[in-house]
Amino acid sequence: MVPERIRMSRGGESLEDVMGREEDEELPAFDDGAFEIEGGGGGRRESRLGFERGRKLVDGDFLDNYVPAGGISRHTMRDLIGSIRVVGTEGFVCDKWVEEPTLLVTRFEYANLFHTITDWYSGYVSSRVAGLPFRPRVIFIDGHCTSPMEETWDALFSGFSYAKSFNGSVCFRHAVLSPLGYETALFKGLSEHIDCKGASAHDLWKNPDDQKTARLSEFGEMVRAAFGFPVNRHRHEKSSSGHNVLFVRREDYLAHPRHSGKPESRLTNEQEVFDAIKSWVSNHLECKINLVNGLFAHMSMREQVQAIQDASVIIGAHGAGLTHIISAMPKTVIFEIISSKYRRPHFALIAQWRGLEYHAMNLAGSHANPPEVVDQLADIMKSLGC
């Protein structure tokens, strides 16, 4: 990798220092030779392979066949592969060697939890496909500033760096090109029918079923394990402290240099709904229920994962925070409140691919009737024996 041939911002800056920076400045543009592969030999021509030093590794037909742009307007991984040139031994200069397996990752919506989880999932699947024995290191081939997501990048993998943080050329013993998050089944499944249900690896081992998958459940376990939580695949009952009902809230927060700090409301009377549930919980005597106020914007990622792990029921309006259900425990129930403007299948499908019980309340607008929400939650709690 020759960082000086990648045109983009440095990356890794604090958000406050780059407010107003355009996205185009953060996405990589690759000059020819931004990446090189040693082709052996050392002369002007490689006699064994029969091409001149510096020839492109692949042509347009190869890219169209194996890395099609599809609906992605700026396919940075395709562009990266298109920049690779094969050079002879004499021309293959390394200022720094990286010995450990390394994932090369380009991100787009890097501060959004849903899209970042597609990047994490891509890195996880890439590691599995490549048969890596240990957690790889990550190099971001982009110029985005820091975000709260970096806590999890660091936990899931063996650290990360930004491409532009290196001086001079960097050579890798084992580099893995991680597909864009947009290209994962997790994202493509939103628009392409994937007739598959989730199950645990243990259950599939006992009862093989080619219509079920444990892949997403295993990824969720990886997330929990990365933060030091036990991977208890077979826990069915909650503790004697009662059932936690986690209400995932939408809050104001500054996500990226082009963000206003105020995400669009998906549930206009969210506080009223929360207060109604809180009142119902305080008067519910059949069993102990703990209502957890999921103010994720004010919680570390580890605290968020723990809140998800401890929940019997996760409730919330459609929003990126609900993507955390990927790491929920197997018997967790999902209850999504959906505005008429945001009837999208994200969390119904993730619940299906995880094998989680899912309920939805579809609103006529973006205002929910609190008693109706409470009634549906009460029915869910009854099904849990509460």
Side-chain angles (χ1 to χ4, degrees), residues 265-325:
S265 174
R266 310 287 173 82
L267 179 60
T268 53
N269 63 329
E270 182 182 279
Q271 187 62 48
E272 182 186 5
V273 171
F274 179 83
D275 291 341
I277 296 174
K278 184 177 181 180
S279 176
W280 175 76
V281 166
S282 66
N283 293 297
H284 187 77
L285 304 178
E286 283 77 2
C287 68
K288 182 171 177 55
I289 300 176
N290 310 302
L291 179 62
V292 179
N293 194 6
L295 299 170
F296 283 178
H298 293 85
M299 299 164 65
S300 69
M301 194 62 71
R302 188 181 193 280
E303 291 169 332
Q304 294 175 43
V305 172
Q306 180 161 20
I308 292 291
Q309 177 182 260
D310 293 342
S312 295
V313 179
I314 299 171
I315 180 174
H318 181 93
L322 283 179
T323 319
H324 271 306
I325 67 176

Side-chain angles (χ1 to χ4, degrees), residues 50-98:
F51 51 77
E52 288 189 4
R53 187 173 68 186
R55 174 180 178 256
K56 279 181 172 290
L57 177 67
V58 300
D59 59 17
D61 287 341
F62 178 96
L63 292 172
D64 290 341
N65 286 328
Y66 295 101
V67 199
I72 303 172
S73 59
R74 187 168 176 180
H75 199 306
T76 47
M77 190 54 68
R78 175 189 168 99
D79 295 343
L80 184 158
I81 296 170
S83 78
I84 300 174
R85 287 188 172 274
V86 181
V87 300
T89 302
E90 292 180 359
F92 195 71
V93 179
C94 300
D95 295 312
K96 177 180 176 61
W97 272 100
V98 176

Side-chain angles (χ1 to χ4, degrees), residues 246-248 250 265-274 277 314-319 322 334-344 347 358-370 372-374 376-377 380:
L246 171 63
F247 195 116
V248 178
R250 286 181 65 80
S265 174
R266 310 287 173 82
L267 179 60
T268 53
N269 63 329
E270 182 182 279
Q271 187 62 48
E272 182 186 5
V273 171
F274 179 83
I277 296 174
I314 299 171
I315 180 174
H318 181 93
L322 283 179
I334 313 303
F335 178 17
E336 182 181 8
I337 302 172
I338 307 175
S339 160
S340 59
K341 295 181 179 179
Y342 292 95
R343 288 199 178 145
R344 298 169 183 170
F347 308 114
Y358 172 86
H359 300 263
M361 175 176 283
N362 290 299
L363 307 179
S366 57
H367 184 279
N369 183 353
E372 291 181 2
V373 176
V374 169
Q376 190 157 343
L377 177 59
I380 291 171

Side-chain angles (χ1 to χ4, degrees), residues 103-285:
L103 291 179
L104 304 183
V105 176
T106 64
R107 304 167 296 165
F108 283 80
E109 299 172 71
Y110 68 101
N112 175 282
L113 181 63
F114 172 78
H115 290 285
T116 300
I117 281 182
T118 66
D119 288 327
W120 294 334
Y121 184 68
S122 181
Y124 157 72
V125 172
S126 297
S127 300
R128 291 290 301 267
V129 170
L132 302 184
F134 307 107
R135 293 185 303 160
R137 187 166 184 80
V138 169
I139 291 184
F140 295 135
I141 314 297
D142 60 55
H144 299 307
C145 66
T146 58
S147 81
M149 306 300 170
E150 292 189 356
E151 177 187 358
T152 309
W153 279 106
D154 205 36
L156 287 174
F157 304 99
S158 66
F160 61 85
S161 307
Y162 286 82
K164 281 290 193 179
S165 68
F166 293 97
N167 294 317
S169 58
V170 185
C171 296
F172 305 95
R173 298 290 182 191
H174 189 176
V176 178
L177 305 182
S178 187
L180 301 182
Y182 294 139
E183 296 180 306
T184 61
L186 188 58
F187 185 85
K188 285 190 170 183
L190 301 177
S191 56
E192 301 177 10
H193 181 60
I194 299 179
D195 186 15
C196 191
K197 294 184 179 179
S200 72
H202 180 266
D203 289 344
L204 282 182
W205 176 73
K206 291 174 60 180
N207 302 293
D209 186 340
D210 61 7
Q211 295 301 307
K212 293 184 178 180
T213 179
R215 188 64 70 237
L216 213 55
S217 294
E218 289 177 341
F219 173 63
E221 291 173 0
M222 176 183 170
V223 173
R224 294 202 302 273
F227 287 105
F229 297 118
V231 178
N232 187 351
R233 296 173 176 166
H234 315 304
R235 192 185 78 178
H236 295 300
E237 298 178 0
K238 298 297 173 181
S239 68
S240 58
S241 61
H243 288 277
N244 283 7
V245 174
L246 171 63
F247 195 116
V248 178
R249 309 292 297 271
R250 286 181 65 80
E251 303 175 81
D252 292 349
Y253 71 100
L254 198 59
H256 55 75
R258 298 157 294 283
H259 193 242
S260 68
K262 293 188 176 294
E264 185 175 355
S265 174
R266 310 287 173 82
L267 179 60
T268 53
N269 63 329
E270 182 182 279
Q271 187 62 48
E272 182 186 5
V273 171
F274 179 83
D275 291 341
I277 296 174
K278 184 177 181 180
S279 176
W280 175 76
V281 166
S282 66
N283 293 297
H284 187 77
L285 304 178

